[in-house]
Amino acid sequence: MKVQSVSLKFLFTLCLLISAGILLYLTPIKVKASGLDNVDDLTDSITSSIESEVNSDKPNSTFSVSFESGNGELNGSLRILLILTFISFIPAMLIMLTSFTRIIIVLHFTRTAIGTQTAPPNQVLIGLAIFLTLFIMAPVFTRINEEAIKPFDAGELTAKEALEVGMVPLREFMYGQTQARDVATFMDIANLEWDGSDPEAVPTTVLIPSFVLSELRTSFIIGFLIYIPFIVIDMVVSSILMSMGMMMLPPTTISMPFKILLFVLADGWNLVIVNLVKSFY
């Protein structure tokens, strides 16, 4: 117990020293009020001190926001902070706004239909889904880079304008893969009018859930079609075992090699992946 208390005291002292060092490193704004006769003199002194601190070129300054000379843009340090914050949303955007959802669900249906629970493993399926997503979304990402990111880096677009321009290719992709009935459903829930043909009238907040719902429906339909030939094999093997009186032998034990053999002879991975990719075109 004594060792633990000593350790806690040491950690507390170390935290105090680090905090004091940070406070000493960050030079505060100094305001001298001596020799001032009234409140106006005190206000002028504070204003002049703040301006001198802001305009000084000190190496210990963290970040600043300029409005006039910098055209209202944030400086490099704050932009890095915002970019790092935006990176945390990339996984959700990759899953929800691209072809990743349909691909990973179909691949999992394929593995389950064959009957191999861990082959291929999840890491392989997720890696394959990511690279297929990059292949399918490459034209969209190229347009976003050419129309939004490069002009923004060159100072031709503001951050808001770059975001609006960059969402255009992504919205076109999502709208092309979204069924009209899903869009109409969410438009009705949001109490918005839509004639069923104008994509510009669909807000992004409505288009994203509509796209996800359509992707789930399409992926389950594809998964059902993949299941059909393997279910036939299971039924044939089960009926043969029952006719032979082997009711205690699990049919999946016998049917799995035949399903794998059928999948290999039919070049199943090529059929599934190629037709899955073509479903986006």
Side-chain angles (χ1 to χ4, degrees):
M1 295 296 293
K2 292 182 178 180
V3 176
Q4 185 176 4
S5 62
V6 171
S7 301
L8 292 175
K9 291 180 179 179
F10 175 75
L11 292 176
F12 181 73
T13 305
L14 182 61
C15 292
L16 288 179
L17 292 175
I18 293 175
S19 302
I22 294 175
L23 292 176
L24 291 175
Y25 179 75
L26 297 176
T27 304
I29 298 175
K30 297 180 180 179
V31 179
K32 296 181 180 179
S34 60
L36 300 177
D37 296 332
N38 50 33
V39 178
D40 294 334
D41 295 337
L42 177 61
T43 304
D44 295 338
S45 178
I46 294 174
T47 305
S48 62
S49 299
I50 292 175
E51 290 178 354
S52 63
E53 291 291 337
V54 172
N55 296 327
S56 61
D57 298 331
K58 293 185 178 181
N60 60 351
S61 59
T62 55
F63 65 88
S64 61
V65 181
S66 58
F67 293 93
E68 297 297 335
S69 59
N71 296 324
E73 294 295 333
L74 303 177
N75 77 327
S77 302
L78 193 54
R79 286 179 63 184
I80 292 175
L81 178 62
L82 295 176
I83 291 173
L84 292 177
T85 305
F86 175 75
I87 289 176
S88 62
F89 292 97
I90 290 181
M93 295 176 62
L94 178 65
I95 294 174
M96 295 289 102
L97 307 183
T98 63
S99 58
F100 182 86
T101 302
R102 185 189 304 183
I103 294 173
I104 194 64
I105 292 177
V106 171
L107 292 179
H108 274 283
F109 268 121
T110 303
R111 185 179 66 178
T112 306
I114 297 173
T116 56
Q117 300 299 323
T118 58
N122 291 331
Q123 293 85 348
V124 175
L125 293 183
I126 294 175
L128 179 59
I130 290 174
F131 283 105
L132 289 177
T133 301
L134 294 176
F135 174 78
I136 294 170
M137 302 296 296
V140 178
F141 293 155
T142 302
R143 284 188 57 190
I144 294 175
N145 182 49
E146 295 293 334
E147 299 177 4
I149 297 178
K150 288 185 177 180
F152 175 70
D153 290 336
E156 300 174 1
L157 296 176
T158 62
K160 183 179 180 180
E161 293 174 347
L163 180 61
E164 293 176 354
V165 174
M167 282 298 297
V168 172
L170 198 58
R171 281 178 53 89
E172 292 178 358
F173 170 79
M174 290 191 294
Y175 186 81
Q177 303 299 324
T178 305
Q179 299 183 13
R181 58 176 177 174
D182 295 328
V183 178
T185 300
F186 281 96
M187 291 292 284
D188 291 338
I189 295 174
N191 294 323
L192 298 175
E193 295 183 359
W194 185 55
D195 58 0
S197 59
D198 186 13
E200 299 295 333
V202 181
T204 304
T205 54
V206 173
L207 182 59
I208 292 176
S210 303
F211 169 74
V212 175
L213 182 59
S214 297
E215 287 294 285
L216 291 176
R217 180 184 294 107
T218 304
S219 60
F220 272 72
I221 293 173
I222 297 175
F224 171 76
L225 296 177
I226 292 174
Y227 252 100
I228 292 177
F230 299 104
I231 291 177
V232 172
I233 294 177
D234 287 333
M235 294 176 62
V236 171
V237 171
S238 178
S239 61
I240 292 175
L241 291 177
M242 291 184 64
S243 63
M244 295 176 62
M246 299 180 180
M247 292 177 291
M248 300 300 294
L249 183 63
T252 56
T253 305
I254 306 300
S255 63
M256 182 183 296
F258 291 99
K259 290 190 289 187
I260 295 176
L261 179 62
L262 174 65
F263 195 73
V264 172
L265 293 178
D267 197 6
W269 287 115
N270 180 70
L271 292 175
V272 171
I273 293 176
V274 170
N275 289 280
L276 182 59
V277 172
K278 288 182 178 180
S279 65
F280 290 94
Y281 295 95

